[in-house]
Amino acid sequence: MDIKTFAFAAATPPLSVIAAAKLAGISPSVDASLPPDSSPTFLFSNGLKLHGTYVLLRYVGRVAGGIPNFYGRDAFEAAQIDEWLEYIPVSLSGPTFENGCKYMDQFLEK
């Protein structure tokens, strides 16, 4: 199933999805005309759609066939990636930002 169009709001481009897609060699047409509060969307050639930054990141990770282990070597590593994708938007905004940075520093020091 091919991604036909990658749509998002021009004011808030999902840079993480853009970067992951580029690394994975995925290059659909781009539509930056969605309204400002819209979720980024993949429109597939068969008419199906996926919405949301983290959903799109997971999809890209799963279909990145050209990069070995892009989404982990096994189910556990894939789940660790999912854990970070859930952790980041919650912990790196507002008053929890400093604690989130400390946690990431400690994790990366291991």
Side-chain angles (χ1 to χ4, degrees):
M1 190 166 28
D2 292 335
I3 302 169
K4 179 180 172 186
T5 306
F6 175 28
F8 53 87
T12 56
L15 299 178
S16 56
V17 178
I18 293 167
K22 180 138 180 99
L23 287 170
I26 298 171
S27 55
S29 66
V30 173
D31 174 6
S33 67
L34 292 182
D37 292 337
S38 299
S39 294
T41 302
F42 282 164
L43 173 63
F44 294 88
S45 54
N46 63 0
L48 295 175
K49 296 179 182 180
L50 286 175
H51 305 279
T53 299
Y54 301 103
V55 171
L56 302 185
L57 284 170
R58 287 180 175 99
Y59 181 82
V60 169
R62 289 181 177 116
V63 299
I67 301 173
N69 305 318
F70 190 69
Y71 201 59
R73 291 177 292 205
D74 55 33
F76 182 78
E77 286 185 4
Q80 285 181 308
I81 293 167
D82 290 338
E83 183 177 20
W84 279 103
L85 289 173
E86 288 187 28
Y87 175 77
I88 289 169
V90 173
S91 300
L92 296 183
S93 61
T96 61
F97 179 75
E98 286 187 34
N99 287 336
C101 289
K102 282 182 188 177
Y103 176 77
M104 281 197 296
D105 283 345
Q106 291 170 349
F107 179 85
L108 294 172
E109 286 176 354
K110 293 179 185 179

